[in-house]
Amino acid sequence: MKGFFKGSATALITPFTETEVNFEVLGELIENQIAGGTDAIVFLGTTGEPSTMSFAEEHVLMDYAVKKVNGRAKVIFGCGSNNTADAIMTAQKAESYGADGLLAVTPYYNKCTQNGLVAYYKAICESVSIPVIAYNVPGRTGVEIQPATMAKIAEIPNIAGIKDAGGNMSKTMETFRLVREKCDVYSGEDALNLPILLCGGAGVISVLSNIVPADVKRLCSLAHAGKIDEAVALNDKLLPLANACFVEVNPIPVKAAMNLLGYNAGTPRAPLTEIEPQNKEKLAAAMQAFGLEVKA
């Protein structure tokens, strides 16, 4: 299927207190995204740290997020797992809370075959009636959706597209060629947002847009409007900030960035740690160079 959403989606951080989700701050982050024109908000994606959350915490967050967004943007929940049964359970829970769509990462650690990937996505999609985006991020999962495999996955009726965070433009272009008429392609790597948009990407699922949602939205709008010179100029400005968001493993830097902007986002949950001091300095410098006001 095509056309689930077009434009910018934010892979939102989950703010934590020492013991639980900080819903007051989460509400502030949601309002900031909506004010910035974000088209869709992804909760419980990689950036949201679901791997260190209990199912009970996830379900409370799902209920809160749908009610808080209240139809002002698409709500997408992460649901992937290395256990297909768990992925199905999370997908069904997300649908029951009113999710508009799902983001299902490839199974990790088990390292299934390409045929296993097709079976995995088929099982998830058949368990729900809402759109599902396949999430390809081999650097984290150890499993890559090959372009020919994505062509098979795209035949599943409620597959809305692929979030491509593979970092290989040659494979991305082959995926485009094979699925262009079947489903959408979304950039999952901020450094490659512009080329993927200009090659026909329907949008981006961005870490950077936690920090500058309006600018990432504008990049998508410029690219889709064919205003290439303006899009390139904006991308040139965004790129150093995007790179700073990955000076350590995501979401360590972006969570630090939101704290620097004055949000009480807390720290990542173990085994992730707070950003190293020297990297915090680099991040703050990139934010200030972009024109953002950084708080102590």
Side-chain angles (χ1 to χ4, degrees), residues 58-221:
E58 291 181 7
H59 298 164
V60 173
L61 187 148
M62 288 177 182
D63 186 46
Y64 175 86
V66 170
K67 290 174 179 174
K68 182 65 174 176
V69 175
N70 194 27
R72 294 176 292 168
K74 292 283 179 71
V75 171
I76 301 170
F77 291 123
C79 73
S81 174
N82 66 331
N83 179 344
T84 301
D86 282 349
I88 288 171
M89 180 195 70
T90 304
Q92 291 175 333
K93 276 289 185 182
E95 183 176 35
S96 75
Y97 284 117
D100 295 297
L102 303 167
L103 178 67
V105 72
T106 59
Y108 41 87
Y109 188 75
N110 304 4
K111 300 187 75 169
C112 67
T113 64
Q114 294 297 299
N115 285 338
L117 286 174
V118 176
Y120 168 80
Y121 283 109
K122 188 172 185 289
I124 294 171
C125 287
E126 288 181 348
S127 74
V128 296
S129 60
I130 55 178
V132 177
I133 299 172
Y135 180 11
N136 185 46
V137 57
R140 283 184 178 270
T141 65
V143 176
E144 184 170 17
I145 304 175
Q146 297 296 335
T149 303
M150 189 60 212
K152 295 177 182 177
I153 294 169
E155 298 289 346
I156 301 169
N158 53 329
I159 281 286
I162 178 172
K163 176 185 176 182
D164 187 344
N168 184 323
M169 279 302 294
S170 176
K171 287 189 175 180
T172 299
M173 292 306 298
E174 179 65 1
T175 298
F176 266 120
R177 187 182 73 83
L178 294 174
V179 308
R180 198 180 296 275
E181 304 304 319
K182 299 176 182 178
C183 70
D184 291 317
V185 175
Y186 298 100
S187 172
E189 189 159 331
D190 280 306
L192 297 178
N193 284 347
L194 184 57
I196 289 176
L197 287 167
L198 293 178
C199 289
V204 303
I205 300 176
S206 170
V207 173
L208 176 62
S209 59
N210 278 275
I211 306 171
V212 285
D215 294 282
V216 175
K217 165 68 175 178
R218 182 166 174 260
L219 180 70
C220 295
S221 298

Side-chain angles (χ1 to χ4, degrees), residues 266-283:
T267 58
R269 280 185 170 173
L272 298 185
T273 52
E274 289 191 67
I275 193 167
E276 299 290 336
Q278 69 274 18
N279 289 328
K280 185 177 180 180
E281 289 180 10
K282 293 177 184 177
L283 175 64

